[in-house]
Amino acid sequence: MTTPSASTSLPPSGTVLLGVPVVPGVQYGPVIRPGRLPVLDDEGSSETAEADRPAEAARFKAAASAVATRLRDRAAHATGAASEVLAATATLAQDRAWLGAAEKRINEGAPAVRAVVGAVEQFADMFTKLGGLMAERVTDLRDIRDRVIAELNGLPEPGVPLPAVPSILCAEDLAPADTAGLDPTLVVALATTLGGPTSHTAIIARQLGIPCVVAVNGLDAVDPGTMVLVDGTRGTIHVSPDSSAAGEAVAAAHRDAELAAQWSGPGATADGHPVAVLANVQDGAAARAARQTPAEGVGLFRTELCFLNRDAEPTVDEQAGIYAEVLDAFDGHKVVVRTLDAGSDKPLKFAGHPDEANPALGVRGIRIAGRNPGILQRQLEAIAAAGQRSGNPPWVMAPMIATAEEAKEFAAQVRSHGLTPGVMIEVPAAALLADRILEHVDFLSIGTNDLAQYTMAADRMSADLATLTDPWQPAVLMLVAMAVRAGAAAGKPVGVCGEAAADPLLACVLTGLGVTSLSAAVAAVQGVGAKLAQVTLQQCRDAADAVLTTATAADARAAALAVLG
Ligand code: PEP
Ligand code: MG
C-alpha cells in the first residue's frame, strides 16, 4: 500500500490514499468536485460595441435559462425541503424583473457579467430593504448570479455539480448548506481532505446513506473524472483501480448491506434484552424516510439544520409546522426534539452570535439563550404547539449543557410548556456530574461527537486530530459509562445519539455499558439493529468491560472485536 507524498502531482494508477472511515460501504465511480465561486470584478472590461449587444443579450438569456433548467432538474431529483428550496431558486433564476434589469444594462453596453452583477445587487439592495421573507431571498439571488456568471464564462457550476452518471464527490470539506440537495443516486460516495469522523460531512453522508471517508491524505491531487474506489469501511481511496476488481468489491459490499436490510426490529440483543433503535433526523422528509425503516422513534431531531440558510428567525407558527411534520411521521412513537444547537460549525444568522476567537468553546447551543432568551422561549412555544397539533407531545433536550444549574433552568422552562425535559451530555463536566443533572431532568442523551471533541481537546473538524476524536477513545467511553451509571441509579433513561451509536460494533459496546437507546442516522439503523440481534447481552457486557481496560482507541476496537466478532 502506498501513501502519496505531500506533492500535488497526480497520484499514479493503483495508488491507495488513506483516510478516516466514517460511513461504511464501497462505491466506484468518477470523481466530481464542487466548482469555485466566480470572480465578480470585471470592471476592467470594455463596453460592448452597439452591433454586438443583441448577441450579448442572447448569450445572457441562454446562460440564465441553462441555470434555471439545471436547478429544476435537481429539484426533481431531491426530496422534501431540499426539493422546495431548489424549485424556488429555479423560479427566481427566471424572474422577469432581474432578468429585465440585466438585459437593460446589456443593451446600454455593459458586458453580460457586469450586467448580471449590477442587476443582482440592485435587487439584493431592494430585497434587503423590504426585509422579512424577501431579505431571505438575497442569498438565493447571489447564488443564481454566481451560477449564471460561471455559465457565461464556460466554468463549472459553483457548488456541487449535477453529474450525468453516479459519481464520487471529492472536496476539501463540505458545509451542510452545500449538500442540501444532494441526490444519493447520483452522488454515491463522499471523500474529503479535511473533516473528522464526527464532522458534518460525515453526518450528512450517514443521512444520505452513502459511503464516506474523511481526512484523506493526497485527495486534493485527484482530478475530476478520475475513476476511484471508495471504501468507507476501511478508509481507503483506490485511484484508477482495476475496473473488474472494483466492480467485485462493490458487489460484495452490497451483499453485506442486503443481510443488514433483512433486520426488521425492534432493537434487542439475540437473547431479548431491549435497546430502542431510533433515528437521527433533520426535517420532516428525513423523518418520513426514517419511518420506512424499523427505527422505533426519533432520538435526535437537529432543529438548527432546518434554518441554516435563514437570515431571519422563523415565526413560532412556521417553526411549529416544521416540527409537527417530524412528530406526524412518528405518530404514537417517541420523538426527541433538540433545541437549536446554533454556533461553532453551525452558525445561524439570526442567533446573534458574537465574534469569537474560538466559537466551539464559545456561545453555542444552550448558551445562546443566555444572550437571547426569546429564541429559546419561542422555540419551546413552537415545539409545544407542534405537540398539540400532532397529538404526539415530544421529549425536548438542550445541547451543550455544562452545569446542573443550566439543566435546572432549562427543565423548568420545558415543564412550563407541558413537555418532558432532558439534556445532552456533550461536555465532560456534564458527564462527571450526571447524577446532579438527573435531579432536574427526566432523561439524558449522550452526544459522543462533542463529548469526544471536548474530552480530547481536539477539534472535530480537524483532519490532523481525527484519531483523537475517534469515539472509541477509552477516555470518552469512561465518561459515557459514568453518565449511564448515573441514569441507572436514578432510574431514568440514558441514550446515545452521537455518531458512536451508528457504528454497529460500538453500539453493542454501548449496550453493554447499559444505554437504553441508540439513535443513529437513518442509513445506519439497519446495520446497528442487525448487529445487535446477533450478540447476547453478556457478550455486550464483556466487550464493554474489556474496552474500559484499554488505553487506546485501536486497542478498544480490537478488544470489542475479540468478544463480539
Ligand atoms: C453530538 O455532539 O454527538 C451530537 C449528537 O450533536 P451534533 O453532532 O449535532 O453536534
Ligand atoms: Mg453536539
PDB file of all heavy atoms in Angstrom, residues 366-401:
ATOM      1  N   ILE A 366     -27.146  25.787  24.173  1.00  0.00           N
ATOM      2  CA  ILE A 366     -27.999  26.418  25.195  1.00  0.00           C
ATOM      3  C   ILE A 366     -27.467  27.800  25.595  1.00  0.00           C
ATOM      4  O   ILE A 366     -28.222  28.669  26.043  1.00  0.00           O
ATOM      5  CB  ILE A 366     -28.110  25.512  26.451  1.00  0.00           C
ATOM      6  CG1 ILE A 366     -29.191  25.999  27.413  1.00  0.00           C
ATOM      7  CG2 ILE A 366     -26.775  25.398  27.191  1.00  0.00           C
ATOM      8  CD1 ILE A 366     -30.580  25.914  26.894  1.00  0.00           C
ATOM      9  N   ARG A 367     -26.174  28.036  25.379  1.00  0.00           N
ATOM     10  CA  ARG A 367     -25.585  29.327  25.795  1.00  0.00           C
ATOM     11  C   ARG A 367     -26.168  30.505  25.014  1.00  0.00           C
ATOM     12  O   ARG A 367     -26.119  31.642  25.469  1.00  0.00           O
ATOM     13  CB  ARG A 367     -24.062  29.269  25.613  1.00  0.00           C
ATOM     14  CG  ARG A 367     -23.449  28.172  26.455  1.00  0.00           C
ATOM     15  CD  ARG A 367     -22.010  27.896  26.085  1.00  0.00           C
ATOM     16  NE  ARG A 367     -21.513  26.754  26.853  1.00  0.00           N
ATOM     17  CZ  ARG A 367     -20.267  26.328  26.822  1.00  0.00           C
ATOM     18  NH1 ARG A 367     -19.382  26.940  26.058  1.00  0.00           N
ATOM     19  NH2 ARG A 367     -19.895  25.288  27.533  1.00  0.00           N
ATOM     20  N   ILE A 368     -26.695  30.234  23.811  1.00  0.00           N
ATOM     21  CA  ILE A 368     -27.335  31.285  23.009  1.00  0.00           C
ATOM     22  C   ILE A 368     -28.458  31.928  23.822  1.00  0.00           C
ATOM     23  O   ILE A 368     -28.683  33.129  23.762  1.00  0.00           O
ATOM     24  CB  ILE A 368     -27.959  30.665  21.726  1.00  0.00           C
ATOM     25  CG1 ILE A 368     -26.876  30.076  20.833  1.00  0.00           C
ATOM     26  CG2 ILE A 368     -28.834  31.642  20.957  1.00  0.00           C
ATOM     27  CD1 ILE A 368     -26.085  31.086  20.088  1.00  0.00           C
ATOM     28  N   ALA A 369     -29.176  31.080  24.597  1.00  0.00           N
ATOM     29  CA  ALA A 369     -30.338  31.579  25.341  1.00  0.00           C
ATOM     30  C   ALA A 369     -29.934  32.578  26.415  1.00  0.00           C
ATOM     31  O   ALA A 369     -30.737  33.413  26.825  1.00  0.00           O
ATOM     32  CB  ALA A 369     -31.099  30.409  25.959  1.00  0.00           C
ATOM     33  N   GLY A 370     -28.675  32.534  26.873  1.00  0.00           N
ATOM     34  CA  GLY A 370     -28.206  33.496  27.868  1.00  0.00           C
ATOM     35  C   GLY A 370     -28.222  34.909  27.304  1.00  0.00           C
ATOM     36  O   GLY A 370     -28.553  35.869  27.996  1.00  0.00           O
ATOM     37  N   ARG A 371     -27.865  35.036  26.014  1.00  0.00           N
ATOM     38  CA  ARG A 371     -27.830  36.355  25.371  1.00  0.00           C
ATOM     39  C   ARG A 371     -29.183  36.713  24.783  1.00  0.00           C
ATOM     40  O   ARG A 371     -29.502  37.884  24.613  1.00  0.00           O
ATOM     41  CB  ARG A 371     -26.809  36.343  24.222  1.00  0.00           C
ATOM     42  CG  ARG A 371     -25.374  36.246  24.670  1.00  0.00           C
ATOM     43  CD  ARG A 371     -24.470  35.987  23.470  1.00  0.00           C
ATOM     44  NE  ARG A 371     -24.544  37.017  22.450  1.00  0.00           N
ATOM     45  CZ  ARG A 371     -23.720  38.045  22.345  1.00  0.00           C
ATOM     46  NH1 ARG A 371     -22.759  38.194  23.240  1.00  0.00           N
ATOM     47  NH2 ARG A 371     -23.838  38.926  21.381  1.00  0.00           N
ATOM     48  N   ASN A 372     -29.946  35.680  24.408  1.00  0.00           N
ATOM     49  CA  ASN A 372     -31.182  35.922  23.678  1.00  0.00           C
ATOM     50  C   ASN A 372     -32.253  34.933  24.150  1.00  0.00           C
ATOM     51  O   ASN A 372     -32.582  33.978  23.463  1.00  0.00           O
ATOM     52  CB  ASN A 372     -30.876  35.736  22.168  1.00  0.00           C
ATOM     53  CG  ASN A 372     -32.040  36.128  21.301  1.00  0.00           C
ATOM     54  OD1 ASN A 372     -33.157  36.321  21.787  1.00  0.00           O
ATOM     55  ND2 ASN A 372     -31.800  36.238  20.008  1.00  0.00           N
ATOM     56  N   PRO A 373     -32.786  35.152  25.382  1.00  0.00           N
ATOM     57  CA  PRO A 373     -33.720  34.169  25.945  1.00  0.00           C
ATOM     58  C   PRO A 373     -34.963  33.965  25.081  1.00  0.00           C
ATOM     59  O   PRO A 373     -35.555  32.903  25.077  1.00  0.00           O
ATOM     60  CB  PRO A 373     -34.103  34.764  27.310  1.00  0.00           C
ATOM     61  CG  PRO A 373     -33.403  36.060  27.441  1.00  0.00           C
ATOM     62  CD  PRO A 373     -32.549  36.312  26.249  1.00  0.00           C
ATOM     63  N   GLY A 374     -35.345  34.999  24.311  1.00  0.00           N
ATOM     64  CA  GLY A 374     -36.560  34.918  23.488  1.00  0.00           C
ATOM     65  C   GLY A 374     -36.481  33.787  22.476  1.00  0.00           C
ATOM     66  O   GLY A 374     -37.480  33.125  22.180  1.00  0.00           O
ATOM     67  N   ILE A 375     -35.293  33.548  21.928  1.00  0.00           N
ATOM     68  CA  ILE A 375     -35.148  32.499  20.896  1.00  0.00           C
ATOM     69  C   ILE A 375     -35.573  31.155  21.461  1.00  0.00           C
ATOM     70  O   ILE A 375     -36.325  30.406  20.834  1.00  0.00           O
ATOM     71  CB  ILE A 375     -33.676  32.439  20.400  1.00  0.00           C
ATOM     72  CG1 ILE A 375     -33.487  33.421  19.261  1.00  0.00           C
ATOM     73  CG2 ILE A 375     -33.296  31.060  19.948  1.00  0.00           C
ATOM     74  CD1 ILE A 375     -32.280  33.140  18.406  1.00  0.00           C
ATOM     75  N   LEU A 376     -35.119  30.832  22.686  1.00  0.00           N
ATOM     76  CA  LEU A 376     -35.469  29.546  23.311  1.00  0.00           C
ATOM     77  C   LEU A 376     -36.953  29.519  23.673  1.00  0.00           C
ATOM     78  O   LEU A 376     -37.647  28.540  23.407  1.00  0.00           O
ATOM     79  CB  LEU A 376     -34.598  29.302  24.550  1.00  0.00           C
ATOM     80  CG  LEU A 376     -34.934  28.035  25.332  1.00  0.00           C
ATOM     81  CD1 LEU A 376     -34.734  26.788  24.473  1.00  0.00           C
ATOM     82  CD2 LEU A 376     -34.057  27.925  26.591  1.00  0.00           C
ATOM     83  N   GLN A 377     -37.444  30.633  24.258  1.00  0.00           N
ATOM     84  CA  GLN A 377     -38.868  30.662  24.643  1.00  0.00           C
ATOM     85  C   GLN A 377     -39.764  30.427  23.434  1.00  0.00           C
ATOM     86  O   GLN A 377     -40.691  29.624  23.475  1.00  0.00           O
ATOM     87  CB  GLN A 377     -39.223  32.014  25.260  1.00  0.00           C
ATOM     88  CG  GLN A 377     -38.844  32.108  26.737  1.00  0.00           C
ATOM     89  CD  GLN A 377     -38.668  33.563  27.163  1.00  0.00           C
ATOM     90  OE1 GLN A 377     -39.143  34.479  26.497  1.00  0.00           O
ATOM     91  NE2 GLN A 377     -37.978  33.777  28.269  1.00  0.00           N
ATOM     92  N   ARG A 378     -39.448  31.131  22.322  1.00  0.00           N
ATOM     93  CA  ARG A 378     -40.301  30.987  21.130  1.00  0.00           C
ATOM     94  C   ARG A 378     -40.176  29.572  20.559  1.00  0.00           C
ATOM     95  O   ARG A 378     -41.152  28.994  20.096  1.00  0.00           O
ATOM     96  CB  ARG A 378     -39.933  32.048  20.078  1.00  0.00           C
ATOM     97  CG  ARG A 378     -40.381  33.447  20.472  1.00  0.00           C
ATOM     98  CD  ARG A 378     -40.115  34.453  19.374  1.00  0.00           C
ATOM     99  NE  ARG A 378     -38.700  34.727  19.183  1.00  0.00           N
ATOM    100  CZ  ARG A 378     -37.991  35.625  19.885  1.00  0.00           C
ATOM    101  NH1 ARG A 378     -38.579  36.343  20.815  1.00  0.00           N
ATOM    102  NH2 ARG A 378     -36.693  35.805  19.639  1.00  0.00           N
ATOM    103  N   GLN A 379     -38.969  28.998  20.638  1.00  0.00           N
ATOM    104  CA  GLN A 379     -38.840  27.637  20.103  1.00  0.00           C
ATOM    105  C   GLN A 379     -39.640  26.636  20.943  1.00  0.00           C
ATOM    106  O   GLN A 379     -40.321  25.757  20.403  1.00  0.00           O
ATOM    107  CB  GLN A 379     -37.366  27.205  20.019  1.00  0.00           C
ATOM    108  CG  GLN A 379     -37.279  25.897  19.237  1.00  0.00           C
ATOM    109  CD  GLN A 379     -35.888  25.350  19.035  1.00  0.00           C
ATOM    110  OE1 GLN A 379     -34.971  25.687  19.780  1.00  0.00           O
ATOM    111  NE2 GLN A 379     -35.734  24.500  18.042  1.00  0.00           N
ATOM    112  N   LEU A 380     -39.600  26.795  22.282  1.00  0.00           N
ATOM    113  CA  LEU A 380     -40.363  25.881  23.144  1.00  0.00           C
ATOM    114  C   LEU A 380     -41.863  26.037  22.899  1.00  0.00           C
ATOM    115  O   LEU A 380     -42.609  25.058  22.873  1.00  0.00           O
ATOM    116  CB  LEU A 380     -40.019  26.121  24.618  1.00  0.00           C
ATOM    117  CG  LEU A 380     -38.595  25.717  25.034  1.00  0.00           C
ATOM    118  CD1 LEU A 380     -38.339  26.081  26.489  1.00  0.00           C
ATOM    119  CD2 LEU A 380     -38.354  24.223  24.813  1.00  0.00           C
ATOM    120  N   GLU A 381     -42.277  27.302  22.681  1.00  0.00           N
ATOM    121  CA  GLU A 381     -43.687  27.553  22.361  1.00  0.00           C
ATOM    122  C   GLU A 381     -44.065  26.803  21.077  1.00  0.00           C
ATOM    123  O   GLU A 381     -45.106  26.150  20.994  1.00  0.00           O
ATOM    124  CB  GLU A 381     -43.828  29.060  22.116  1.00  0.00           C
ATOM    125  CG  GLU A 381     -45.113  29.694  22.590  1.00  0.00           C
ATOM    126  CD  GLU A 381     -45.029  31.192  22.304  1.00  0.00           C
ATOM    127  OE1 GLU A 381     -44.214  31.887  22.952  1.00  0.00           O
ATOM    128  OE2 GLU A 381     -45.757  31.643  21.420  1.00  0.00           O
ATOM    129  N   ALA A 382     -43.169  26.880  20.088  1.00  0.00           N
ATOM    130  CA  ALA A 382     -43.438  26.224  18.799  1.00  0.00           C
ATOM    131  C   ALA A 382     -43.450  24.698  18.955  1.00  0.00           C
ATOM    132  O   ALA A 382     -44.292  24.008  18.365  1.00  0.00           O
ATOM    133  CB  ALA A 382     -42.379  26.640  17.774  1.00  0.00           C
ATOM    134  N   ILE A 383     -42.539  24.169  19.770  1.00  0.00           N
ATOM    135  CA  ILE A 383     -42.490  22.706  19.958  1.00  0.00           C
ATOM    136  C   ILE A 383     -43.775  22.242  20.661  1.00  0.00           C
ATOM    137  O   ILE A 383     -44.374  21.230  20.286  1.00  0.00           O
ATOM    138  CB  ILE A 383     -41.231  22.290  20.758  1.00  0.00           C
ATOM    139  CG1 ILE A 383     -39.955  22.629  19.967  1.00  0.00           C
ATOM    140  CG2 ILE A 383     -41.259  20.804  21.088  1.00  0.00           C
ATOM    141  CD1 ILE A 383     -38.660  22.499  20.766  1.00  0.00           C
ATOM    142  N   ALA A 384     -44.199  23.021  21.680  1.00  0.00           N
ATOM    143  CA  ALA A 384     -45.433  22.653  22.394  1.00  0.00           C
ATOM    144  C   ALA A 384     -46.632  22.714  21.442  1.00  0.00           C
ATOM    145  O   ALA A 384     -47.487  21.818  21.439  1.00  0.00           O
ATOM    146  CB  ALA A 384     -45.643  23.587  23.590  1.00  0.00           C
ATOM    147  N   ALA A 385     -46.673  23.762  20.597  1.00  0.00           N
ATOM    148  CA  ALA A 385     -47.783  23.887  19.635  1.00  0.00           C
ATOM    149  C   ALA A 385     -47.766  22.709  18.664  1.00  0.00           C
ATOM    150  O   ALA A 385     -48.815  22.142  18.331  1.00  0.00           O
ATOM    151  CB  ALA A 385     -47.669  25.206  18.877  1.00  0.00           C
ATOM    152  N   ALA A 386     -46.556  22.310  18.224  1.00  0.00           N
ATOM    153  CA  ALA A 386     -46.447  21.175  17.292  1.00  0.00           C
ATOM    154  C   ALA A 386     -46.948  19.905  17.967  1.00  0.00           C
ATOM    155  O   ALA A 386     -47.642  19.089  17.350  1.00  0.00           O
ATOM    156  CB  ALA A 386     -44.997  21.004  16.839  1.00  0.00           C
ATOM    157  N   GLY A 387     -46.618  19.747  19.255  1.00  0.00           N
ATOM    158  CA  GLY A 387     -47.060  18.569  20.000  1.00  0.00           C
ATOM    159  C   GLY A 387     -48.578  18.507  20.070  1.00  0.00           C
ATOM    160  O   GLY A 387     -49.184  17.449  19.903  1.00  0.00           O
ATOM    161  N   GLN A 388     -49.184  19.685  20.284  1.00  0.00           N
ATOM    162  CA  GLN A 388     -50.651  19.715  20.372  1.00  0.00           C
ATOM    163  C   GLN A 388     -51.274  19.445  19.011  1.00  0.00           C
ATOM    164  O   GLN A 388     -52.212  18.667  18.882  1.00  0.00           O
ATOM    165  CB  GLN A 388     -51.108  21.076  20.874  1.00  0.00           C
ATOM    166  CG  GLN A 388     -51.246  21.061  22.396  1.00  0.00           C
ATOM    167  CD  GLN A 388     -51.328  22.446  22.977  1.00  0.00           C
ATOM    168  OE1 GLN A 388     -51.433  23.434  22.248  1.00  0.00           O
ATOM    169  NE2 GLN A 388     -51.263  22.526  24.280  1.00  0.00           N
ATOM    170  N   ARG A 389     -50.682  20.090  17.981  1.00  0.00           N
ATOM    171  CA  ARG A 389     -51.219  19.949  16.632  1.00  0.00           C
ATOM    172  C   ARG A 389     -51.212  18.479  16.192  1.00  0.00           C
ATOM    173  O   ARG A 389     -52.130  17.999  15.578  1.00  0.00           O
ATOM    174  CB  ARG A 389     -50.324  20.765  15.688  1.00  0.00           C
ATOM    175  CG  ARG A 389     -51.066  21.412  14.554  1.00  0.00           C
ATOM    176  CD  ARG A 389     -50.103  22.180  13.688  1.00  0.00           C
ATOM    177  NE  ARG A 389     -49.884  23.544  14.142  1.00  0.00           N
ATOM    178  CZ  ARG A 389     -49.195  24.453  13.447  1.00  0.00           C
ATOM    179  NH1 ARG A 389     -48.646  24.136  12.295  1.00  0.00           N
ATOM    180  NH2 ARG A 389     -49.038  25.665  13.911  1.00  0.00           N
ATOM    181  N   SER A 390     -50.108  17.781  16.529  1.00  0.00           N
ATOM    182  CA  SER A 390     -49.960  16.407  16.023  1.00  0.00           C
ATOM    183  C   SER A 390     -50.487  15.375  17.024  1.00  0.00           C
ATOM    184  O   SER A 390     -50.592  14.206  16.692  1.00  0.00           O
ATOM    185  CB  SER A 390     -48.489  16.128  15.743  1.00  0.00           C
ATOM    186  OG  SER A 390     -47.795  16.138  16.966  1.00  0.00           O
ATOM    187  N   GLY A 391     -50.756  15.817  18.257  1.00  0.00           N
ATOM    188  CA  GLY A 391     -51.199  14.855  19.276  1.00  0.00           C
ATOM    189  C   GLY A 391     -50.080  13.933  19.715  1.00  0.00           C
ATOM    190  O   GLY A 391     -50.329  12.853  20.250  1.00  0.00           O
ATOM    191  N   ASN A 392     -48.830  14.322  19.452  1.00  0.00           N
ATOM    192  CA  ASN A 392     -47.682  13.480  19.827  1.00  0.00           C
ATOM    193  C   ASN A 392     -46.677  14.343  20.588  1.00  0.00           C
ATOM    194  O   ASN A 392     -45.717  14.834  20.008  1.00  0.00           O
ATOM    195  CB  ASN A 392     -47.048  12.884  18.559  1.00  0.00           C
ATOM    196  CG  ASN A 392     -45.935  11.893  18.886  1.00  0.00           C
ATOM    197  OD1 ASN A 392     -45.831  11.407  20.021  1.00  0.00           O
ATOM    198  ND2 ASN A 392     -45.101  11.590  17.896  1.00  0.00           N
ATOM    199  N   PRO A 393     -46.909  14.585  21.910  1.00  0.00           N
ATOM    200  CA  PRO A 393     -46.017  15.501  22.635  1.00  0.00           C
ATOM    201  C   PRO A 393     -44.592  14.958  22.702  1.00  0.00           C
ATOM    202  O   PRO A 393     -44.389  13.824  23.151  1.00  0.00           O
ATOM    203  CB  PRO A 393     -46.645  15.582  24.032  1.00  0.00           C
ATOM    204  CG  PRO A 393     -47.572  14.428  24.129  1.00  0.00           C
ATOM    205  CD  PRO A 393     -47.936  13.983  22.752  1.00  0.00           C
ATOM    206  N   PRO A 394     -43.604  15.740  22.234  1.00  0.00           N
ATOM    207  CA  PRO A 394     -42.235  15.220  22.189  1.00  0.00           C
ATOM    208  C   PRO A 394     -41.497  15.384  23.510  1.00  0.00           C
ATOM    209  O   PRO A 394     -41.922  16.134  24.382  1.00  0.00           O
ATOM    210  CB  PRO A 394     -41.586  16.115  21.134  1.00  0.00           C
ATOM    211  CG  PRO A 394     -42.299  17.412  21.262  1.00  0.00           C
ATOM    212  CD  PRO A 394     -43.714  17.085  21.660  1.00  0.00           C
ATOM    213  N   TRP A 395     -40.376  14.688  23.635  1.00  0.00           N
ATOM    214  CA  TRP A 395     -39.400  14.993  24.660  1.00  0.00           C
ATOM    215  C   TRP A 395     -38.525  16.110  24.089  1.00  0.00           C
ATOM    216  O   TRP A 395     -38.343  16.186  22.870  1.00  0.00           O
ATOM    217  CB  TRP A 395     -38.517  13.773  24.950  1.00  0.00           C
ATOM    218  CG  TRP A 395     -39.233  12.618  25.599  1.00  0.00           C
ATOM    219  CD1 TRP A 395     -40.584  12.458  25.749  1.00  0.00           C
ATOM    220  CD2 TRP A 395     -38.622  11.463  26.177  1.00  0.00           C
ATOM    221  NE1 TRP A 395     -40.850  11.278  26.386  1.00  0.00           N
ATOM    222  CE2 TRP A 395     -39.668  10.645  26.661  1.00  0.00           C
ATOM    223  CE3 TRP A 395     -37.307  11.024  26.341  1.00  0.00           C
ATOM    224  CZ2 TRP A 395     -39.425   9.422  27.290  1.00  0.00           C
ATOM    225  CZ3 TRP A 395     -37.071   9.811  26.959  1.00  0.00           C
ATOM    226  CH2 TRP A 395     -38.117   9.022  27.442  1.00  0.00           C
ATOM    227  N   VAL A 396     -38.000  16.957  24.978  1.00  0.00           N
ATOM    228  CA  VAL A 396     -37.208  18.092  24.489  1.00  0.00           C
ATOM    229  C   VAL A 396     -35.888  18.145  25.231  1.00  0.00           C
ATOM    230  O   VAL A 396     -35.864  18.058  26.472  1.00  0.00           O
ATOM    231  CB  VAL A 396     -37.963  19.430  24.723  1.00  0.00           C
ATOM    232  CG1 VAL A 396     -37.198  20.582  24.099  1.00  0.00           C
ATOM    233  CG2 VAL A 396     -39.361  19.371  24.138  1.00  0.00           C
ATOM    234  N   MET A 397     -34.792  18.272  24.483  1.00  0.00           N
ATOM    235  CA  MET A 397     -33.496  18.322  25.178  1.00  0.00           C
ATOM    236  C   MET A 397     -32.650  19.501  24.700  1.00  0.00           C
ATOM    237  O   MET A 397     -32.801  19.997  23.583  1.00  0.00           O
ATOM    238  CB  MET A 397     -32.725  17.024  24.983  1.00  0.00           C
ATOM    239  CG  MET A 397     -32.314  16.735  23.570  1.00  0.00           C
ATOM    240  SD  MET A 397     -31.480  15.130  23.534  1.00  0.00           S
ATOM    241  CE  MET A 397     -31.120  14.969  21.795  1.00  0.00           C
ATOM    242  N   ALA A 398     -31.767  19.940  25.602  1.00  0.00           N
ATOM    243  CA  ALA A 398     -30.896  21.076  25.306  1.00  0.00           C
ATOM    244  C   ALA A 398     -29.495  20.571  24.963  1.00  0.00           C
ATOM    245  O   ALA A 398     -28.999  19.648  25.605  1.00  0.00           O
ATOM    246  CB  ALA A 398     -30.815  21.989  26.518  1.00  0.00           C
ATOM    247  N   PRO A 399     -28.855  21.203  23.967  1.00  0.00           N
ATOM    248  CA  PRO A 399     -27.472  20.862  23.648  1.00  0.00           C
ATOM    249  C   PRO A 399     -26.490  21.640  24.521  1.00  0.00           C
ATOM    250  O   PRO A 399     -26.827  22.725  25.023  1.00  0.00           O
ATOM    251  CB  PRO A 399     -27.345  21.316  22.191  1.00  0.00           C
ATOM    252  CG  PRO A 399     -28.307  22.457  22.056  1.00  0.00           C
ATOM    253  CD  PRO A 399     -29.428  22.205  23.043  1.00  0.00           C
ATOM    254  N   MET A 400     -25.308  21.085  24.713  1.00  0.00           N
ATOM    255  CA  MET A 400     -24.181  21.804  25.327  1.00  0.00           C
ATOM    256  C   MET A 400     -24.403  22.209  26.779  1.00  0.00           C
ATOM    257  O   MET A 400     -23.914  23.247  27.229  1.00  0.00           O
ATOM    258  CB  MET A 400     -23.829  23.050  24.511  1.00  0.00           C
ATOM    259  CG  MET A 400     -23.200  22.760  23.182  1.00  0.00           C
ATOM    260  SD  MET A 400     -21.562  22.030  23.359  1.00  0.00           S
ATOM    261  CE  MET A 400     -20.644  23.391  24.015  1.00  0.00           C
ATOM    262  N   ILE A 401     -25.161  21.399  27.514  1.00  0.00           N
ATOM    263  CA  ILE A 401     -25.328  21.687  28.941  1.00  0.00           C
ATOM    264  C   ILE A 401     -23.999  21.382  29.657  1.00  0.00           C
ATOM    265  O   ILE A 401     -23.391  20.332  29.425  1.00  0.00           O
ATOM    266  CB  ILE A 401     -26.471  20.812  29.509  1.00  0.00           C
ATOM    267  CG1 ILE A 401     -27.824  21.295  28.981  1.00  0.00           C
ATOM    268  CG2 ILE A 401     -26.439  20.765  31.035  1.00  0.00           C
ATOM    269  CD1 ILE A 401     -28.318  22.618  29.533  1.00  0.00           C
TER     270      ILE A 401
END
